Each structure stands twice: as structure tokens, then as C-alpha cells.
Amino acid sequence: GIRDLDTIERCLDDGISYVIIGTAAVKNPGFLHDACTAFPGHIIVGLDAKDGKVAVDGWSKMTGHDVVDLARKFEDYGVEAVIYTDIGRDGMLSGVNVEATVKLAQALRIPVIASGGIASVADVKALCKVQDEGIMGAITGRAIYEGKLDFRKAQAEADKLSAK
């Protein structure tokens, strides 16, 4: 819920390397632009989408914004990366939406971090296979909490596949 420059400054002063801005970026793009200008190299934008359309306010409201178009706009502002969450899959343990994540990554010059649906080492492997398309990393939660994904094994597999 970062919504002002003072909060960003405090976070960075406290040693945090990157600040993620989500709904505030979509609702107030001027704020995101100002943040990228004031803190270059430290801003990541989080875009949550379903069927290619961006959602805000904890996914409670769908916007008419196309995720690729909005990501390109924010890339021009100077964000370092985009966290792309497929909200149709997040928390469902149904597998990551590799196709949509790659589509977004191919449209950008900045890296994309995949989120939503990662449930197994197989999902990690699938993302590693397309990392050269611009996939920088992945976020998983429920799969770890429920013991379905062993983080150490997933990281070891990612390290092994990334070294190739």
C-alpha cells in the first residue's frame, strides 16, 4: 500500500532496495512517474490482471486497461521491472500462466517477475525455459505454505537451469 514519496524515501533509507507500487500506479500514474524520477532504479510496478485486463484494489475492481499497454507506459516512466500476477490463478495452485507472462515480457525491455499459480517445481522449470524472453524471477506463496513446493529444491532447480 505505498502511496506517497515520503514512504518510499523511508523504505529506501532503511535499506530496502526496491519498492513495489501496485494499485496506486494504476489509479495515479503521475505518482508512479514522480517515484521513478525521484528514486531511479528502485521502483518496481505490480500489475495484477485477468484475461489481459488490469485489476486494482485487491482485485475487487477490473479496469479497462490492457496489461501490456499499461506495462509499456510504466516502462517508459522508468520502472525497473514488472511483477505480473495472473489473478485467475493466484492461490489456486493451478500452475503459472507461462503464455501470458511471456507475452508481457516479450513486449517489454525491462524484466518481468511471474506470480500467480506457481505450485510445483514443474512451474519453476517452465519459467526457467523461457527466462531468455525476459522472465527475471517468480513469486510463490501458498504452494510453500501448504508444503507443495520445497523452496530449496525449487531454487536449486532454477539455479541449475539458469546456468545452462
Side-chain angles (χ1 to χ4, degrees):
I2 295 176
R3 288 169 171 56
D4 62 74
L5 297 177
D6 289 339
T7 302
I8 295 171
E9 186 171 28
R10 279 195 309 278
C11 289
L12 297 175
D13 285 348
D14 287 344
I16 294 172
S17 299
Y18 299 100
V19 174
I20 302 164
I21 302 174
T23 292
V26 179
K27 287 185 153 187
N28 185 359
F31 163 63
L32 179 66
H33 188 271
D34 290 347
C36 290
T37 300
F39 308 104
H42 296 283
I43 307 298
I44 294 174
V45 71
L47 293 177
D48 304 332
K50 183 175 183 178
D51 299 325
K53 298 297 179 192
V54 175
V56 294
D57 294 331
W59 310 341
S60 65
K61 296 178 187 168
M62 295 303 295
T63 71
H65 296 295
D66 178 81
V67 70
V68 172
D69 292 341
L70 201 55
R72 283 181 178 151
K73 177 180 177 178
F74 294 163
E75 175 182 56
D76 289 343
Y77 287 2
V79 298
E80 284 299 297
V82 171
I83 297 174
Y84 170 68
T85 303
D86 182 326
I87 64 173
R89 295 183 185 220
D90 194 60
M92 299 292 112
L93 302 175
S94 59
V96 65
N97 189 340
V98 175
E99 182 181 334
T101 305
V102 167
K103 177 183 175 190
L104 178 61
Q106 288 174 335
L108 302 174
R109 296 177 310 276
I110 57 174
V112 171
I113 300 166
S115 179
I118 296 171
S120 67
V121 173
D123 291 320
V124 173
K125 288 179 181 180
L127 288 169
C128 287
K129 287 180 184 176
V130 295
Q131 71 179 341
D132 291 341
E133 300 294 337
I135 311 298
M136 177 171 105
I139 297 173
T140 185
R142 186 173 178 186
I144 291 174
Y145 306 144
E146 293 187 2
K148 297 181 185 310
L149 179 68
D150 181 307
F151 179 77
R152 288 177 202 241
K153 287 180 182 175
Q155 185 64 58
E157 190 66 29
D159 292 342
K160 181 176 86 177
L161 293 171
S162 296
K164 291 183 179 182

